[in-house]
Amino acid sequence: MNILVTGGAGFIGSNFIRHILVKYPDYKIINLDKLTYAGNLDNLRDIEHIYGLSEKRYGFVRGDICDAAVVNEVVGRKPDAIVHFAAESHVDRSITNSQEFLQTNILGTRVLLEAGRQYNIGKFVQIGTDEVYGSVEDGYSKEEDVLEPNSPYSVSKVAADLLARAYWITFGTPVVITRSSNNFGPYQYPEKLIPLFILNLIEGKKAPLYGDGMNVRDWLNVSDNCEAIDLVLHHGKIGEIYNIGGDNERTNLDVTRTILDYLNFDENFIEYIKDRPGHDRRYALDSSKIKQLGWEPKQRFEEAIKDTIEWYRNNEWWWKRIKDGEYRKYYEKQYPVG
Ligand code: NAD
Ligand code: DAU
């Protein structure tokens, strides 16, 4: 199979590319990524060497999914499927300025869907999020639940999912949608809770916890999400939506304490700060539909968080290049815009 992955230089996209190329020795991937601040080809250094230069099964194109010329060029190479990760992904940034979120997440998705339609793509996997259901005080969100997005980010993700659905209904574009909970693992940009707190503590700084720390998220190891997306890519029913939850509900305070304990810090290293505006209290998914397809999360939070902390401890080269901006300087030179 030939796959076009968008946003493959980001956190989940890079883990997914590695998962697919290792598991399927005859598959090829093209990675289309704009290389925003969150796109980092250091995430794929090993992949570039083994599967790019030597096996010629991986190729990178720097480009914006909003640019129809670039998108048509790569979709015109006739991949069998598109797996669409590219997005602005950080809720706090969408609160400060939502422009790029609406541009990339909605209009960029439209450009891709349109190219998929024109070139008769075999499958279009739209990567969505559990945030589209809004805050769930009790119970678990099912795929057919009402959508109640509360941040500019989640609004943009709702619009993208609904556009994808509309392309299926209107044009028969073979769309499948996944909606996962909070991912964690290697190569996550250190603006998100888990890598931010780990690196702050490693550097002797405090962990900035919003509000009372009692907001609940369901944590999904990125390797479990990659397996689920792989399953949906191959066996997901066209026109369907699949929730992907980790069955690891934790308050932010619990997550913080787990990280503090493992790194031998006490609670004086928590700094309670002003809450995020519109902060959703709880997300929780009912994942029974994808479980019926044959998937279940393998990683338990307590073990996977230790592996994740160890990964950040052992890969200082990776996060130091983010903190000093070297990764951007390096790849801007290698892949200049225009
Ligand atoms: P990320 O921010 O780490 O990576 C996003 C990638 O998209 C980057 O490589 C960036 O350069 C690229 N990109 C951004 N704008 C682009 C554009 N206009 N054209 C081409 N490339 C562009 O994000 P992530 O955490 O890996 O999330 C990937 C996807 O999964 C997103 O769609 C996100 O909404 C969704 N998601 C994430 C999580 C999570 O916990 N991280 C959970 C559920 C869903
Ligand atoms: O639920 C899936 C979503 O998970 C994805 O769609 C998003 O792309 C991804 O960014 C993530 O969104 P969250 O807002 O849940 O993730 P974040 O890591 O920003 O925050 C997790 C929780 O931790 C949230 O309740 C806010 C809190 N938090 C976050 C940061 C960055 C803090 O208390 N302090 C912080 O400094």
Side-chain angles (χ1 to χ4, degrees):
M1 189 185 269
N2 288 351
I3 307 171
L4 171 61
V5 169
T6 71
F11 164 49
I12 308 176
S14 60
N15 278 281
F16 180 75
I17 289 175
R18 182 172 294 101
H19 165 89
I20 290 288
L21 291 173
V22 169
K23 181 168 169 191
Y24 302 104
D26 54 339
Y27 280 27
K28 293 184 178 170
I29 291 182
I30 296 173
N31 172 17
L32 172 65
D33 197 295
K34 182 178 173 181
L35 298 186
T36 67
Y37 76 96
N40 180 1
L41 290 173
D42 281 353
N43 299 359
L44 292 163
R45 259 201 208 180
D46 52 334
I47 297 296
E48 172 69 34
H49 282 103
I50 303 166
Y51 302 106
L53 297 175
S54 104
E55 294 189 12
K56 313 266 182 262
R57 294 200 289 127
Y58 165 79
F60 174 69
V61 175
R62 184 173 191 186
D64 187 336
I65 56 164
C66 301
D67 180 345
V70 176
V71 168
N72 285 335
E73 196 278 312
V74 289
V75 180
R77 298 185 202 176
K78 303 287 264 170
D80 303 294
I82 298 174
V83 184
H84 175 34
F85 294 94
E88 288 295 333
S89 70
H90 191 37
V91 174
D92 292 325
R93 287 180 191 255
S94 83
I95 295 168
T96 311
N97 184 354
S98 57
Q99 171 66 34
E100 284 295 322
F101 286 73
L102 305 188
Q103 182 77 24
T104 287
N105 300 3
I106 306 176
L107 299 178
T109 300
R110 190 204 74 84
V111 171
L112 267 177
L113 284 163
E114 191 51 31
R117 178 179 83 82
Q118 281 176 24
Y119 288 97
N120 291 317
I121 196 74
K123 205 152 195 180
F124 188 110
V125 183
Q126 157 66 15
I127 305 296
T129 168
D130 63 357
E131 300 209 7
V132 296
Y133 301 112
S135 198
V136 190
E137 303 299 320
D138 309 298
Y140 297 89
S141 303
K142 288 186 78 81
E143 288 82 354
E144 59 275 15
D145 281 2
V146 171
L147 303 179
E148 287 183 336
N150 290 319
S151 71
Y153 163 70
S154 50
V155 166
S156 73
K157 295 297 288 183
V158 167
D161 283 7
L162 295 184
L163 253 182
R165 178 180 174 276
Y167 265 71
W168 155 239
I169 303 279
T170 310
F171 305 112
T173 306
V175 165
V176 195
I177 299 171
T178 68
R179 289 182 181 152
S180 86
S181 56
N182 284 60
N183 284 223
F184 69 105
Y187 301 109
Q188 185 168 30
Y189 191 84
E191 64 187 350
K192 309 283 165 59
L193 178 92
I194 287 182
L196 176 72
F197 284 16
I198 295 171
L199 296 190
N200 271 14
L201 292 169
I202 288 176
E203 292 187 314
K205 293 187 273 187
K206 293 189 177 187
L209 198 53
Y210 296 161
D212 60 4
M214 296 312 283
N215 300 64
V216 173
R217 296 293 183 266
D218 168 28
W219 293 97
L220 173 69
N221 193 257
V222 67
S223 63
D224 279 329
N225 194 18
C226 291
E227 286 186 4
I229 297 167
D230 174 355
L231 183 67
V232 168
L233 169 67
H234 290 93
H235 302 291
K237 197 167 159 228
I238 305 300
E240 296 288 324
I241 299 167
Y242 294 93
N243 286 343
I244 309 170
D247 295 342
N248 287 310
E249 268 190 69
R250 298 286 183 283
T251 65
N252 293 336
L253 182 57
D254 281 341
V255 172
T256 309
R257 283 182 171 146
T258 306
I259 299 171
L260 287 169
D261 277 358
Y262 190 75
L263 289 171
N264 285 319
F265 287 94
D266 63 29
E267 296 210 7
N268 292 321
F269 277 82
I270 299 178
E271 185 180 8
Y272 287 91
I273 62 168
K274 195 167 168 292
D275 209 353
R276 171 187 282 175
H279 195 176
D280 284 333
R281 196 64 172 167
R282 173 176 176 260
Y283 302 131
L285 290 175
D286 178 330
S287 309
S288 45
K289 191 165 162 186
I290 192 163
K291 286 179 178 165
Q292 278 162 22
L293 212 57
W295 173 89
E296 60 180 322
K298 292 180 185 148
Q299 308 281 334
R300 299 312 307 155
F301 184 75
E302 272 60 34
E303 285 75 53
I305 188 79
K306 286 179 195 159
D307 293 345
T308 300
I309 296 171
E310 284 305 326
W311 188 87
Y312 287 93
R313 262 185 169 164
N314 294 330
N315 286 279
E316 198 175 303
W317 70 273
W318 179 83
W319 54 266
K320 282 260 158 86
R321 273 167 59 82
I322 292 179
K323 297 216 166 204
D324 64 18
E326 277 308 312
Y327 79 113
R328 286 196 61 75
K329 280 191 223 149
Y330 183 78
Y331 293 112
E332 282 300 334
K333 212 182 271 174
Q334 204 179 342
Y335 296 101
V337 180

